[in-house]
Amino acid sequence: QMCIRDRSTWGQFSEQFIKIQMSGWDAYINLITGDNTCEWGAILDLSSAMPCAVSPGINLTVYQFEIEDETGQKQKVQVNEVQNLLELVKNYQEITGGQGKGTTRVSSKAGIRLNNQKYFFISYNRENPTNPAGSSIYLKREKGGLCIIITNKLLVIGSYNEEKDQNDGKKQSPGDCNLRVESVGKVLLDANY
């Protein structure tokens, strides 16, 4: 089994479980988060967003979130972060696939939310017009952001937090995060993942 398939376990990981079950993927997570370059990293199955490995600090889950509508009234909406992520990837693939059907939106009224953070679309880069493998999605949040690389079978994700220090004393940055995630994504893509 490449990744965990049981949805009920997502959001209930312990570091010990990941190390026992997913030790083969840990090296890739360490490449993403090494030297404290990224706040957290994840390698997820492309079709289901089920984790192959995640670092501490990430938890995609389902929850209620309060938003304000156009009239100023507050309402609670459900956020399903796994669905949000899969929809985001599918929509961006359509945009760049020349179909003209893509959107930079997700169906959740709360917008793009991952790891209980609100993100905004920055850009999508597609290497091959007929195959999304090798493509990248860049998102921004207040004082941070993340990079998503799409391979043939996986989503490789890294998040940075501009308030956290790297081991070299510099603050985490989009450039350093993107470089790490893009490098790991390329290694996995070259290995036919």
Side-chain angles (χ1 to χ4, degrees):
Q1 225 175 357
M2 184 173 75
C3 299
I4 294 171
R5 299 284 183 217
D6 179 5
R7 236 179 237 292
S8 66
T9 60
W10 180 240
Q12 301 171 7
F13 293 108
S14 71
E15 195 171 337
Q16 180 181 9
F17 176 78
I18 292 168
K19 285 185 178 175
I20 292 169
Q21 298 294 323
M22 303 297 171
S23 60
W25 293 104
D26 283 343
Y28 296 108
I29 294 297
N30 291 339
L31 288 171
I32 294 170
T33 60
D35 299 325
N36 211 25
T37 300
C38 293
E39 181 176 34
W40 54 261
I43 299 174
L44 310 176
D45 179 81
L46 176 60
S47 63
S48 66
M50 291 295 95
C52 297
V54 296
S55 65
I58 178 170
N59 185 20
L60 301 182
T61 187
V62 177
Y63 54 91
Q64 295 289 313
F65 186 77
E66 188 172 88
I67 63 168
E68 198 172 292
D69 67 19
E70 309 82 41
T71 66
Q73 296 293 319
K74 293 187 181 205
Q75 64 177 354
K76 287 194 175 197
V77 296
Q78 181 170 307
V79 174
N80 180 330
E81 292 184 340
V82 169
Q83 178 183 335
N84 224 350
L85 178 62
L86 292 173
E87 189 175 353
L88 175 73
V89 169
K90 177 183 178 286
N91 287 346
Y92 288 121
Q93 289 175 353
E94 288 178 359
I95 288 171
T96 59
Q99 304 299 319
K101 299 184 235 172
T103 176
T104 57
R105 299 182 186 272
V106 292
S107 59
S108 172
K109 290 182 180 181
I112 302 168
R113 295 191 65 85
L114 301 168
N115 206 32
N116 204 17
Q117 297 282 327
K118 170 79 173 180
Y119 286 90
F120 301 93
F121 173 75
I122 298 296
S123 68
Y124 181 96
N125 297 323
R126 186 162 183 168
E127 296 294 320
N128 181 334
T130 60
N131 182 357
S135 300
S136 51
I137 299 173
Y138 303 95
L139 302 176
K140 179 82 174 113
R141 67 175 168 86
E142 185 176 340
K143 298 183 181 176
L146 58 81
C147 174
I148 303 170
I149 301 298
I150 302 167
T151 72
N152 292 313
K153 299 175 184 175
L154 302 168
L155 297 172
V156 181
I157 306 172
S159 173
Y160 67 93
N161 181 337
E162 295 167 349
E163 294 183 321
K164 291 193 173 184
D165 291 332
Q166 299 178 144
N167 289 357
D168 63 7
K170 297 188 308 184
K171 297 293 183 192
Q172 291 181 358
S173 70
D176 292 334
C177 174
N178 296 348
L179 181 62
R180 289 288 179 106
V181 177
E182 291 163 358
S183 297
V184 170
K186 179 162 180 16
V187 167
L188 291 169
L189 187 61
D190 290 347
N192 294 318
Y193 284 103

